[in-house]
């Protein structure tokens, strides 16, 4: 998308990862050199198959993937076990109704919930929780 400067600032190559069914449309929008079309990237229910996306990116030599997204995006990566770390920023702000945060079907009992190793960093009045999802206590 030409109006999104993050995608065309020239600082690093940017790929538009899409299901192969949408390759032609993606190429028309950003050019063939920036499109990575993957067959079967979208499941029958139209949700992305994120483990497949991660595998394709790893096959291109990418060893770190930074996912910055809202509740829906991060929840999908978490539900499909495609995150090694999760950073949660907590701020003392009361915002009322808004977009939902993380949503995940978890164990019925609190005692059965994973408790990953974490570190906490202060950011002024805010806190950042760095959760290592590869470990649980």
């Amino acid at each position: 998308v030409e109006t999104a400067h993050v995608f065309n600032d020239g600082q690093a190559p940017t790929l538009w990862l899409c299901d192969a069914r949408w390759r032609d449309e993606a190429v028309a929008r950003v050019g063939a050199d920036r499109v990575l079309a993957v067959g079967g990237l979208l499941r029958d229910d139209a949700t992305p198959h994120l483990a497949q996306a991660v595998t394709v990116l790893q096959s291109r030599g990418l060893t770190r993937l930074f996912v910055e997204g809202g509740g829906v995006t991060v929840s999908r990566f978490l539900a499909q076990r495609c995150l090694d770390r999760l950073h949660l920023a907590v701020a003392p702000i009361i915002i009322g109704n808004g977009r939902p945060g993380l949503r995940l079907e978890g164990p019925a009992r609190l005692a059965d919930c994973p408790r990953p190793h974490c570190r906490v960093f202060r950011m002024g009045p805010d806190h950042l929780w760095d959760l290592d999802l590869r470990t649980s206590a």
Side-chain angles (χ1 to χ4, degrees):
V1 180
E2 295 307 316
T3 59
H5 295 287
V6 70
F7 295 122
N8 59 23
D9 65 4
Q11 296 296 309
T14 301
L15 293 174
W16 186 333
L17 183 65
C18 67
D19 188 279
R21 292 174 283 184
W22 304 106
R23 181 189 182 287
D24 292 343
E25 182 179 332
V27 167
R29 293 181 82 175
V30 299
D33 60 325
R34 293 175 54 189
V35 172
L36 180 56
V38 179
L41 189 60
L42 288 179
R43 296 175 171 172
D44 290 339
D45 65 359
T47 61
H49 189 294
L50 298 171
Q52 183 173 353
V54 170
T55 298
V56 166
L57 294 170
Q58 287 173 335
S59 73
R60 293 180 60 98
L62 300 171
T63 58
R64 292 179 189 221
L65 177 63
F66 177 71
V67 177
E68 183 176 17
V72 172
T73 300
V74 175
S75 294
R76 285 181 177 164
F77 272 87
L78 194 56
Q80 293 183 36
R81 298 181 177 264
C82 291
L83 295 178
D84 291 331
R85 302 193 86 76
L86 177 63
H87 289 173
L88 297 174
V90 179
I93 299 173
I94 300 171
I95 59 173
N97 289 340
R99 290 190 172 259
L102 292 177
R103 293 194 180 250
L104 182 68
E105 291 294 322
R109 298 177 339 129
L110 187 58
D112 297 330
C113 292
R115 188 175 287 278
H117 173 73
C118 72
R119 299 179 302 164
V120 181
F121 300 93
R122 288 195 59 109
M123 304 182 305
D126 303 349
H127 288 80
L128 174 74
W129 294 76
D130 172 21
L131 302 161
D132 184 349
L133 300 179
R134 297 167 296 181
T135 65
S136 290

